[in-house]
Short mmCIF file of all heavy atoms in Angstrom, two decimals:
data_model
loop_
_atom_site.label_atom_id
_atom_site.label_comp_id
_atom_site.label_asym_id
_atom_site.label_seq_id
_atom_site.Cartn_x
_atom_site.Cartn_y
_atom_site.Cartn_z
N MET A 1 75.43 78.50 106.13
CA MET A 1 75.51 77.96 107.47
C MET A 1 76.52 76.82 107.49
O MET A 1 76.49 75.94 106.64
CB MET A 1 74.14 77.47 107.92
CG MET A 1 74.11 76.95 109.37
SD MET A 1 72.47 76.35 109.80
CE MET A 1 71.48 77.77 109.52
N ALA A 2 77.42 76.84 108.45
CA ALA A 2 78.47 75.83 108.51
C ALA A 2 78.00 74.62 109.30
O ALA A 2 77.32 74.74 110.32
CB ALA A 2 79.72 76.41 109.16
N PRO A 75 88.35 81.82 104.52
CA PRO A 75 86.96 81.86 104.97
C PRO A 75 86.39 80.50 105.33
O PRO A 75 85.64 80.37 106.31
CB PRO A 75 86.22 82.47 103.77
CG PRO A 75 87.26 83.28 103.06
CD PRO A 75 88.54 82.52 103.23
N GLN A 76 86.72 79.46 104.58
CA GLN A 76 86.19 78.14 104.89
C GLN A 76 86.75 77.60 106.20
O GLN A 76 86.03 77.02 107.02
CB GLN A 76 86.49 77.18 103.74
CG GLN A 76 85.75 77.54 102.45
CD GLN A 76 86.12 76.62 101.29
OE1 GLN A 76 87.24 76.14 101.21
NE2 GLN A 76 85.18 76.41 100.40
N GLU A 79 85.11 79.50 109.03
CA GLU A 79 83.74 79.04 109.26
C GLU A 79 83.72 77.72 110.03
O GLU A 79 82.95 77.55 110.98
CB GLU A 79 83.03 78.90 107.91
CG GLU A 79 81.55 78.68 108.01
CD GLU A 79 80.89 78.67 106.64
OE1 GLU A 79 81.62 78.61 105.63
OE2 GLU A 79 79.66 78.71 106.59
N ALA A 113 87.86 88.60 106.78
CA ALA A 113 87.05 87.88 105.79
C ALA A 113 85.67 87.52 106.30
O ALA A 113 84.89 86.92 105.56
CB ALA A 113 87.79 86.61 105.34
N LEU A 114 85.33 87.84 107.54
CA LEU A 114 84.08 87.39 108.14
C LEU A 114 82.89 88.09 107.51
O LEU A 114 82.80 89.32 107.52
CB LEU A 114 84.11 87.66 109.66
CG LEU A 114 82.99 87.03 110.48
CD1 LEU A 114 83.13 85.52 110.50
CD2 LEU A 114 83.01 87.57 111.90
N THR A 115 81.96 87.32 106.94
CA THR A 115 80.74 87.87 106.36
C THR A 115 79.49 87.34 107.04
O THR A 115 78.40 87.86 106.81
CB THR A 115 80.66 87.54 104.85
OG1 THR A 115 80.72 86.12 104.67
CG2 THR A 115 81.82 88.18 104.11
N ASN A 116 79.64 86.31 107.87
CA ASN A 116 78.48 85.74 108.57
C ASN A 116 79.00 84.91 109.73
O ASN A 116 80.21 84.67 109.85
CB ASN A 116 77.63 84.89 107.62
CG ASN A 116 76.18 84.80 108.09
OD1 ASN A 116 75.87 85.15 109.23
ND2 ASN A 116 75.30 84.34 107.22
N LEU A 117 78.10 84.45 110.59
CA LEU A 117 78.45 83.58 111.70
C LEU A 117 77.60 82.32 111.64
O LEU A 117 76.42 82.37 111.25
CB LEU A 117 78.21 84.29 113.05
CG LEU A 117 79.11 85.47 113.39
CD1 LEU A 117 78.66 86.09 114.72
CD2 LEU A 117 80.56 85.03 113.49
N PRO A 118 78.15 81.18 112.05
CA PRO A 118 77.34 79.96 112.08
C PRO A 118 76.18 80.10 113.06
O PRO A 118 76.31 80.72 114.13
CB PRO A 118 78.33 78.89 112.56
CG PRO A 118 79.68 79.46 112.31
CD PRO A 118 79.54 80.93 112.44
N GLU A 138 77.66 92.63 106.04
CA GLU A 138 76.68 93.50 105.40
C GLU A 138 75.35 93.45 106.12
O GLU A 138 74.54 94.37 106.01
CB GLU A 138 76.51 93.12 103.93
CG GLU A 138 77.77 93.38 103.10
CD GLU A 138 77.55 93.14 101.63
OE1 GLU A 138 76.48 92.59 101.27
OE2 GLU A 138 78.42 93.50 100.83
N TRP A 803 88.29 87.98 96.61
CA TRP A 803 87.27 87.87 95.58
C TRP A 803 85.86 87.64 96.13
O TRP A 803 84.89 88.16 95.56
CB TRP A 803 87.65 86.79 94.56
CG TRP A 803 87.43 85.36 94.98
CD1 TRP A 803 88.33 84.53 95.55
CD2 TRP A 803 86.22 84.60 94.85
NE1 TRP A 803 87.79 83.31 95.80
CE2 TRP A 803 86.48 83.32 95.37
CE3 TRP A 803 84.95 84.87 94.34
CZ2 TRP A 803 85.52 82.32 95.40
CZ3 TRP A 803 83.99 83.87 94.37
CH2 TRP A 803 84.27 82.61 94.90
N PRO A 804 85.65 86.88 97.22
CA PRO A 804 84.26 86.72 97.70
C PRO A 804 83.64 88.05 98.11
O PRO A 804 82.46 88.29 97.85
CB PRO A 804 84.41 85.76 98.89
CG PRO A 804 85.69 85.03 98.65
CD PRO A 804 86.58 86.03 98.01
N ALA A 805 84.42 88.93 98.77
CA ALA A 805 83.88 90.23 99.16
C ALA A 805 83.49 91.04 97.92
O ALA A 805 82.43 91.68 97.89
CB ALA A 805 84.89 90.98 100.01
N ALA A 807 82.69 89.83 95.00
CA ALA A 807 81.52 89.17 94.39
C ALA A 807 80.23 89.59 95.08
O ALA A 807 79.23 89.93 94.43
CB ALA A 807 81.70 87.66 94.44
N LEU A 808 80.22 89.60 96.40
CA LEU A 808 79.00 89.96 97.13
C LEU A 808 78.64 91.42 96.90
O LEU A 808 77.46 91.77 96.79
CB LEU A 808 79.20 89.69 98.62
CG LEU A 808 79.37 88.20 98.99
CD1 LEU A 808 79.71 88.05 100.46
CD2 LEU A 808 78.09 87.42 98.66
N GLY A 811 76.77 91.94 93.76
CA GLY A 811 75.42 91.41 93.73
C GLY A 811 75.35 89.91 93.52
O GLY A 811 74.25 89.35 93.38
N VAL A 812 76.50 89.24 93.46
CA VAL A 812 76.49 87.78 93.35
C VAL A 812 75.99 87.19 94.66
O VAL A 812 76.41 87.63 95.75
CB VAL A 812 77.91 87.25 93.02
CG1 VAL A 812 77.91 85.73 92.90
CG2 VAL A 812 78.42 87.89 91.74
N SER A 813 75.07 86.24 94.60
CA SER A 813 74.48 85.68 95.82
C SER A 813 75.51 84.87 96.60
O SER A 813 76.47 84.33 96.03
CB SER A 813 73.29 84.80 95.48
OG SER A 813 73.71 83.64 94.79
N TYR A 814 75.29 84.78 97.89
CA TYR A 814 76.19 84.01 98.73
C TYR A 814 76.18 82.53 98.32
O TYR A 814 77.22 81.87 98.33
CB TYR A 814 75.77 84.15 100.20
CG TYR A 814 76.68 83.42 101.16
CD1 TYR A 814 77.94 83.93 101.45
CD2 TYR A 814 76.29 82.24 101.78
CE1 TYR A 814 78.79 83.28 102.33
CE2 TYR A 814 77.13 81.58 102.66
CZ TYR A 814 78.38 82.10 102.94
OH TYR A 814 79.22 81.45 103.82
N ARG A 815 75.02 82.04 97.93
CA ARG A 815 74.94 80.63 97.49
C ARG A 815 75.77 80.41 96.23
O ARG A 815 76.46 79.39 96.10
CB ARG A 815 73.48 80.25 97.23
CG ARG A 815 73.31 78.84 96.68
CD ARG A 815 71.85 78.46 96.57
NE ARG A 815 71.24 78.34 97.89
CZ ARG A 815 69.97 77.96 98.08
NH1 ARG A 815 69.21 77.67 97.06
NH2 ARG A 815 69.50 77.89 99.31
N GLU A 816 75.77 81.39 95.30
CA GLU A 816 76.56 81.27 94.09
C GLU A 816 78.06 81.29 94.42
O GLU A 816 78.86 80.56 93.83
CB GLU A 816 76.22 82.41 93.12
CG GLU A 816 77.07 82.47 91.85
CD GLU A 816 76.79 81.32 90.89
OE1 GLU A 816 75.86 80.53 91.14
OE2 GLU A 816 77.54 81.22 89.90
N VAL A 817 78.46 82.15 95.37
CA VAL A 817 79.86 82.19 95.79
C VAL A 817 80.28 80.84 96.35
O VAL A 817 81.36 80.32 96.03
CB VAL A 817 80.07 83.31 96.83
CG1 VAL A 817 81.46 83.22 97.45
CG2 VAL A 817 79.87 84.67 96.19
N GLN A 818 79.43 80.23 97.18
CA GLN A 818 79.75 78.93 97.75
C GLN A 818 79.84 77.85 96.67
O GLN A 818 80.68 76.95 96.73
CB GLN A 818 78.72 78.54 98.80
CG GLN A 818 78.74 79.41 100.04
CD GLN A 818 80.05 79.28 100.79
OE1 GLN A 818 81.02 79.96 100.48
NE2 GLN A 818 80.08 78.40 101.77
N ARG A 819 78.96 77.95 95.67
CA ARG A 819 79.00 76.96 94.58
C ARG A 819 80.31 77.06 93.81
O ARG A 819 80.94 76.04 93.48
CB ARG A 819 77.82 77.19 93.63
CG ARG A 819 77.72 76.15 92.51
CD ARG A 819 76.75 76.58 91.43
NE ARG A 819 77.23 77.73 90.71
CZ ARG A 819 78.17 77.68 89.76
NH1 ARG A 819 78.75 76.53 89.46
NH2 ARG A 819 78.56 78.78 89.14
N ILE A 820 80.74 78.30 93.51
CA ILE A 820 82.00 78.49 92.78
C ILE A 820 83.17 77.96 93.61
O ILE A 820 84.07 77.30 93.09
CB ILE A 820 82.19 79.97 92.43
CG1 ILE A 820 81.10 80.44 91.46
CG2 ILE A 820 83.57 80.23 91.85
CD1 ILE A 820 81.12 81.93 91.20
N ARG A 821 83.14 78.22 94.90
CA ARG A 821 84.22 77.71 95.76
C ARG A 821 84.29 76.19 95.71
O ARG A 821 85.38 75.61 95.65
CB ARG A 821 83.96 78.16 97.20
CG ARG A 821 84.46 79.55 97.52
CD ARG A 821 84.06 79.89 98.93
NE ARG A 821 84.74 81.07 99.44
CZ ARG A 821 84.33 81.76 100.48
NH1 ARG A 821 83.24 81.38 101.13
NH2 ARG A 821 85.01 82.80 100.90
#
Side-chain angles (χ1 to χ4, degrees):
M1 183 181 302
Q76 293 177 329
E79 191 175 12
L114 191 68
T115 58
N116 205 346
L117 292 177
E138 294 186 350
W803 77 266
L808 295 173
V812 180
S813 67
Y814 182 74
R815 176 174 293 183
E816 175 69 7
V817 171
Q818 293 296 85
R819 184 193 67 78
I820 295 173
R821 276 176 167 162

